[in-house]
């Protein structure tokens, strides 16, 4: 019995450090706030949009905990769920959000998982060209496809104008656009966010 107990202790993951515990709690809290933002809860809307960056923060924090503590993905997920339950229990029947703490967590999130820089017109042109081509193969020249083709064209024209201003020739611009498109096709996880590209395409 003593041997089994010793073996169990030997394989038990280490206790979380204070910074790890704080990041874990922040992942849980910001996930709750992000959910309330989707529900248009006034208190949650006082904070910046958290859906996209919060998910990235959760991924970065989870990956770090797996690497640093030897825990599995399932174990880390369970720790997050425990924190969610603890925060919800502390909120009580009124479900009052701890906004001040959430603001502190936003600062931690910005340090641990800062938002990526905005995409370039070249990247967005590459992404939307791929999306339009996929839609054309799937649906033919439907209205949705035509809208995507138009959007891709707007972004390509904008990208060519920027490349031209940077001294790129037409042939060099063609190459830049092709390379950007091929890079996204080869590694879709590197693609910019569609919403950012839509914003970039606005007049």
């Amino acid at each position: 019995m003593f041997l089994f107990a010793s073996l169990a202790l030997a394989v038990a993951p280490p206790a979380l450090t204070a910074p790890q515990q704080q990041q874990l709690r922040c992942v849980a809290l910001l996930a709750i706030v992000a959910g309330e933002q989707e529900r248009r809860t006034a208190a949650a809307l006082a904070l910046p949009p958290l859906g996209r960056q919060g998910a990235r923060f959760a991924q970065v924090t989870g990956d770090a905990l797996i690497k640093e503590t030897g825990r599995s993905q399932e174990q880390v997920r369970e720790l997050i769920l425990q924190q969610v339950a603890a925060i919800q229990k502390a909120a009580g029947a009124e479900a009052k959000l701890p906004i001040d703490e959430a603001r502190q967590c936003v600062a931690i999130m910005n340090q641990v998982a800062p938002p990526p820089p905005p995409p370039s017109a070249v990247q967005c042109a590459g992404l939307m060209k791929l999306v339009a081509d996929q839609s054309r193969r799937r649906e033919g020249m439907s209205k949705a496809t035509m809208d995507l083709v138009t959007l891709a064209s707007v972004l390509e024209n904008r990208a060519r104008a920027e490349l031209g201003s940077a001294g790129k020739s037409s042939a060099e611009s063609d190459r830049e656009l092709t390379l950007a498109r091929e890079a996204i096709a080869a590694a879709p996880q590197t693609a910019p966010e569609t919403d950012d590209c839509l914003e970039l395409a606005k007049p």
Side-chain angles (χ1 to χ4, degrees):
M1 180 66 71
F2 177 76
L3 177 60
F4 288 140
S6 298
L7 289 173
L9 289 173
V11 298
L16 298 182
T17 64
Q20 288 171 336
Q21 290 175 353
Q22 185 178 40
Q23 288 180 24
L24 195 69
R25 179 174 173 82
C26 282
V27 165
L29 177 53
L30 294 183
I32 292 171
V33 176
E36 291 303 316
Q37 287 181 337
E38 291 182 358
R39 298 181 184 90
R40 311 303 296 171
T41 302
L45 293 175
L47 295 174
L50 295 171
R52 195 187 314 166
Q53 191 181 357
R56 186 166 179 269
F57 175 48
Q59 183 68 50
V60 171
T61 299
D63 288 347
L65 286 174
I66 290 170
K67 181 178 179 180
E68 294 167 3
T69 71
R71 286 174 167 83
S72 67
Q73 185 174 2
E74 292 72 19
Q75 288 173 319
V76 170
R77 181 175 180 274
E78 182 60 30
L79 289 174
I80 294 173
L81 292 176
Q82 289 173 5
Q83 286 295 321
V84 168
I87 293 168
Q88 291 174 333
K89 182 178 179 180
E94 296 180 357
K96 186 176 179 180
L97 293 172
I99 293 298
D100 288 340
E101 183 183 1
R103 286 197 177 93
Q104 296 173 3
C105 285
V106 169
I108 292 171
M109 175 182 69
N110 287 334
Q111 292 178 344
V112 174
S120 67
V122 173
Q123 290 174 305
C124 285
L127 171 64
M128 297 315 301
K129 178 67 165 60
L130 290 171
V131 172
D133 288 347
Q134 290 172 356
S135 180
R136 183 163 41 217
R137 287 192 296 270
R138 185 176 61 250
E139 304 177 9
M141 289 305 294
S142 64
K143 183 182 183 305
T145 299
M146 293 175 65
D147 289 343
L148 289 169
V149 169
T150 299
L151 182 59
S153 177
V154 168
L155 287 167
E156 181 175 335
N157 289 338
R158 189 156 298 174
R160 287 185 181 280
E162 291 182 6
L163 290 168
S165 298
K168 299 287 186 180
S169 67
S170 178
E172 289 172 330
S173 296
D174 287 343
R175 177 172 173 77
E176 291 279 348
L177 287 163
T178 299
L179 288 175
R181 189 166 61 250
E182 290 176 347
I184 294 171
Q189 70 274 16
T190 65
E193 293 289 342
T194 302
D195 288 347
D196 290 340
C197 291
L198 293 175
E199 188 68 26
L200 188 60
K202 290 181 178 179

